[in-house]
Amino acid sequence: MTNRITLFEVGPRDGLQNEKEIIDTSLKIELIERLVSSGIRRIEATSFVNPKWIPQLADAIDVLNGIRRKDGVVYSALVPNLKGLERAQQTGIKEIAVFMSASESHNKSNINKTIEETYPVLREVAETATAIGIKVRGYVSTAFGCPYEGDVPLSAVARVTEELLHMGVYEVSIGDTIGVGTPGQVKERFTSLIELFGKERLAGHFHDTRGTGLANVYAALEAGIRTFDSSVGGLGGCPYAPGASGNIATEDVLYMLHGMGMETGVKLEEVVEAGAFLEKILNRTLPSRVLQAMKTTCMEGESANE
Amino acid sequence: MTNRITLFEVGPRDGLQNEKEIIDTSLKIELIERLVSSGIRRIEATSFVNPKWIPQLADAIDVLNGIRRKDGVVYSALVPNLKGLERAQQTGIKEIAVFMSASESHNKSNINKTIEETYPVLREVAETATAIGIKVRGYVSTAFGCPYEGDVPLSAVARVTEELLHMGVYEVSIGDTIGVGTPGQVKERFTSLIELFGKERLAGHFHDTRGTGLANVYAALEAGIRTFDSSVGGLGGCPYAPGASGNIATEDVLYMLHGMGMETGVKLEEVVEAGAFLEKILNRTLPSRVLQAMKTTCMEGESANE
């Protein structure tokens, strides 16, 4: 296996967007800066979805403009349409992300458009952004199962992925939005998608809702995937209950990858400290297993037993 | 891959033994009977370790004698020495389990003997049990890392496994006692152990302390292992903090295995109901991800989205 893995941190966006209580912009900025200090080089900082829908991220411009940006770090943000792109441009951002679902009913419920109706909207965003030098990443949701439709055919995932790549998206993150995927399916799907599009244009986005998150990362690694999305503390991903898990935790993925001899360039101890900082902001325990196992030790300045 | 998997349920012993507040014998019996009803065919019901050390399981004889035993189900119990075996015999038990560690300092701390000193004690138990028709299973702890020594060489694991098999133990469960294992290591170790001893004499015992539990099950499956220990709700395994995880949860393993097309003979929905019952007994949320995702739905009699 190639040893180099890229982690794409989505906590500040995918994690925080579900939080009801509004968090100070300065705390969001500190969280992002801590994550970047740990060695993370790709991070989704916020979202330009209409603040009416996600009031928590209404401060998107302030967050991006408040960060002391570091060379070599890609700060990205979710952009749903041209209006969002206009706001994003006020921050000098170099990368954005567009999103849609592989299943019709999830796309409809999430974006309020059919899949066919979504393409021109995203194409407009992608082409406008590309023309002004902004790179565009893409997300395909419900790629391993849909809360409304159940199974989602691989052909639907391939179709949406292909459309996104044709718009100029440089990398498509294939998402198990509701955490129903299992490793056999993940390995199979990614093997097929890699044959179609090449592994350097694909990323894996897994949720740990049913405990299979890291098993699915491992299966995707075996298929050849080398870029993974994760969220500090395991925050986010619409958990349905306190203590439940959504996004796979950056800490947990790092622990596994490093144990497998993979290189990420990220210091696990510092991500654990960022996770502990986030727990203080939110005043609750986060789902990351490694965070729970390591945080006391790390906060005392020792490195945990690895 | 062969499709048939055997789950060995350890919750009533490995899970309950850490609980401080003494649970009614009748509730333990009901938990075991619910698990057996779900289709589980191998279950560790209790322990004959000196009740001075584990007061929670002081009712071992009553638990075993109180169960309405079902044909085709193996009810087992942990037995540390001849004295424990004598108590176990009062229950007409057909299988017991002996245990030791692959690392010297964990063995010393857990059993208060060196590894060499432990062999004759276990041999006496295994030979006496076998002579009276009781089958003997073995556990090797700290097989993927030790809390005191860190790395544990594969040769140490192989050595202890071989000794146990020579005593007449029919199957050795290789344990990641502190949940430090990662899938690369797991696949490698099990591949070697299978070469040495054959896959039908080995089982995998994983903890989810750092989120790698199911990834390790998947890696062990790839190596050829077909028997796994798990605990209803993910109870047990010395969790160091509330919300932290120890043993891999039976619910989570079942969800993954069934998603991979494996057959276990166990009904996931009924294990989820047993997990919800256990949460009521203990009056707290258990670490199983699937339990949290499914329990409401299942308790309402619907089957979850699989």
Side-chain angles (χ1 to χ4, degrees):
Chain A
M1 284 190 182
T2 319
N3 271 345
R4 186 77 204 175
I5 306 290
T6 301
L7 283 196
F8 194 97
E9 172 62 44
V10 298
R13 192 276 304 171
D14 202 4
L16 292 182
Q17 72 181 7
N18 296 310
E19 294 299 316
K20 290 274 171 291
E21 207 165 309
I22 302 295
I23 297 158
D24 271 6
T25 304
S26 63
L27 294 174
K28 296 175 185 170
I29 292 170
E30 183 172 349
L31 177 67
I32 293 163
E33 291 182 347
R34 278 173 180 253
L35 289 165
V36 168
S37 282
S38 76
I40 282 168
R41 288 293 165 265
R42 297 177 71 192
I43 185 161
E44 201 164 84
T46 185
S47 165
F48 290 98
V49 167
N50 191 330
K52 197 170 72 182
W53 306 120
I54 308 184
Q56 180 65 262
L57 303 182
D59 60 357
I61 292 174
D62 295 337
V63 167
L64 277 164
N65 285 336
I67 300 166
R68 278 164 299 184
R69 296 190 208 172
K70 267 179 115 171
D71 284 350
V73 177
V74 176
Y75 302 88
S76 185
L78 210 62
V79 166
N81 49 35
L82 270 192
K83 194 156 178 196
L85 181 59
E86 278 161 26
R87 288 175 65 218
Q89 280 178 260
Q90 298 174 41
T91 67
I93 203 169
K94 299 282 197 305
E95 177 169 323
I96 60 164
V98 296
F99 59 99
M100 62 184 298
S101 305
S103 63
E104 202 58 75
S105 38
H106 188 266
N107 199 71
K108 191 90 191 180
S109 124
N110 203 32
I111 306 184
N112 203 24
K113 284 185 178 62
T114 66
I115 286 176
E116 285 301 325
E117 289 163 1
T118 307
Y119 291 139
V121 180
L122 301 195
R123 189 175 300 115
E124 199 173 29
V125 171
E127 288 176 358
T128 312
T130 307
I132 54 177
I134 296 176
K135 286 179 78 179
V136 185
R137 192 176 197 240
Y139 287 104
V140 175
S141 296
T142 61
F144 299 89
C146 168
Y148 313 111
E149 298 173 28
D151 289 344
V152 174
L154 174 62
S155 59
V157 181
R159 173 82 212 284
V160 174
T161 303
E162 188 170 35
E163 287 285 345
L164 289 170
L165 291 170
H166 278 172
M167 292 173 197
V169 160
Y170 77 94
E171 175 180 280
V172 179
S173 173
I174 307 293
D176 184 12
T177 312
I178 54 168
V180 291
T182 44
Q185 177 203 27
V186 167
K187 193 171 177 179
E188 233 175 73
R189 289 210 157 190
F190 268 116
T191 301
S192 302
L193 293 169
I194 286 170
E195 272 171 31
L196 290 167
F197 308 114
K199 66 182 181 182
E200 61 292 330
R201 302 175 87 186
L202 296 167
H205 180 107
F206 296 108
H207 283 202
D208 199 30
T209 323
R210 286 162 187 81
T212 57
L214 291 198
N216 290 340
V217 169
Y218 177 57
L221 276 171
E222 289 191 309
I225 295 298
R226 290 295 176 269
T227 300
F228 294 95
D229 301 351
S230 64
S231 176
V232 57
L235 185 68
C238 278
Y240 35 80
S245 179
N247 284 294
I248 51 168
T250 308
E251 297 91 322
D252 298 6
V253 183
L254 284 170
Y255 179 84
M256 183 176 86
L257 293 173
H258 294 172
M260 294 175 70
M262 304 275 170
E263 287 163 27
T264 62
V266 183
K267 294 187 201 82
L268 173 56
E269 291 76 8
E270 293 187 18
V271 178
V272 168
E273 284 172 25
F277 171 72
L278 181 55
E279 285 192 329
K280 272 184 197 159
I281 295 176
L282 303 175
N283 195 27
R284 68 169 196 271
T285 299
L286 290 174
S288 165
R289 304 286 198 208
V290 167
L291 175 59
Q292 301 316 320
M294 282 178 70
K295 68 183 176 190
T296 319
T297 319
C298 284
M299 298 309 283
E300 287 162 359
E302 284 173 47
S303 96
N305 172 55
E306 279 186 78
Chain B
M1 286 192 180
T2 320
N3 271 344
R4 185 78 205 176
I5 306 289
T6 301
L7 283 196
F8 194 99
E9 171 63 44
V10 299
R13 192 277 303 173
D14 201 4
L16 292 182
Q17 72 181 8
N18 297 309
E19 295 300 314
K20 290 274 172 291
E21 207 164 310
I22 302 297
I23 297 157
D24 271 3
T25 304
S26 64
L27 293 173
K28 295 175 186 171
I29 292 170
E30 182 172 348
L31 177 67
I32 293 164
E33 290 181 348
R34 279 172 179 255
L35 289 164
V36 168
S37 283
S38 77
I40 283 169
R41 288 293 164 265
R42 296 176 72 192
I43 186 161
E44 201 163 84
T46 186
S47 165
F48 289 98
V49 167
N50 191 331
K52 196 170 75 184
W53 306 120
I54 307 184
Q56 180 64 261
L57 303 184
D59 59 358
I61 292 175
D62 295 337
V63 167
L64 277 165
N65 286 336
I67 301 166
R68 276 164 298 184
R69 295 190 208 172
K70 268 179 116 171
D71 283 350
V73 177
V74 176
Y75 301 88
S76 184
L78 209 64
V79 166
N81 49 34
L82 270 192
K83 196 159 173 188
L85 181 59
E86 279 161 26
R87 287 177 65 219
Q89 282 179 259
Q90 298 176 40
T91 68
I93 202 168
K94 298 285 197 303
E95 178 170 322
I96 60 164
V98 296
F99 59 99
M100 62 183 298
S101 305
S103 64
E104 202 59 74
S105 38
H106 188 267
N107 199 71
K108 191 89 190 178
S109 121
N110 204 31
I111 307 188
N112 203 26
K113 286 186 178 59
T114 67
I115 286 176
E116 285 300 325
E117 288 163 0
T118 307
Y119 292 140
V121 179
L122 301 194
R123 189 175 300 116
E124 200 174 27
V125 171
E127 289 176 357
T128 311
T130 307
I132 53 175
I134 297 176
K135 286 179 77 179
V136 186
R137 192 175 198 240
Y139 287 104
V140 175
S141 297
T142 63
F144 299 89
C146 169
Y148 313 109
E149 297 172 27
D151 290 343
V152 173
L154 174 62
S155 59
V157 181
R159 175 78 212 287
V160 174
T161 303
E162 188 170 36
E163 288 283 345
L164 287 171
L165 291 170
H166 277 171
M167 291 173 199
V169 161
Y170 76 95
E171 175 181 278
V172 180
S173 173
I174 307 292
D176 184 13
T177 312
I178 55 170
V180 291
T182 46
Q185 176 202 28
V186 166
K187 193 171 177 179
E188 232 175 75
R189 287 207 159 190
F190 268 115
T191 301
S192 302
L193 292 170
I194 286 170
E195 272 172 29
L196 289 168
F197 308 114
K199 69 181 180 181
E200 61 293 330
R201 302 176 86 185
L202 297 167
H205 180 107
F206 295 109
H207 284 203
D208 200 32
T209 323
R210 287 163 186 81
T212 56
L214 292 198
N216 290 340
V217 169
Y218 177 56
L221 275 172
E222 290 191 308
I225 295 299
R226 290 297 175 267
T227 301
F228 295 96
D229 301 350
S230 65
S231 176
V232 57
L235 184 69
C238 279
Y240 34 82
S245 179
N247 284 294
I248 52 168
T250 307
E251 297 90 322
D252 299 6
V253 184
L254 283 171
Y255 179 84
M256 182 176 86
L257 293 174
H258 293 173
M260 295 175 72
M262 304 275 174
E263 287 162 27
T264 63
V266 184
K267 295 187 200 80
L268 173 56
E269 291 77 6
E270 294 187 17
V271 178
V272 168
E273 284 173 25
F277 172 72
L278 181 56
E279 285 192 327
K280 274 186 195 157
I281 295 176
L282 302 174
N283 195 27
R284 69 169 195 272
T285 298
L286 290 175
S288 165
R289 305 286 200 209
V290 167
L291 175 60
Q292 301 315 318
M294 282 179 68
K295 67 183 175 190
T296 319
T297 319
C298 284
M299 297 310 282
E300 287 162 1
E302 283 174 50
S303 98
N305 173 54
E306 277 185 78

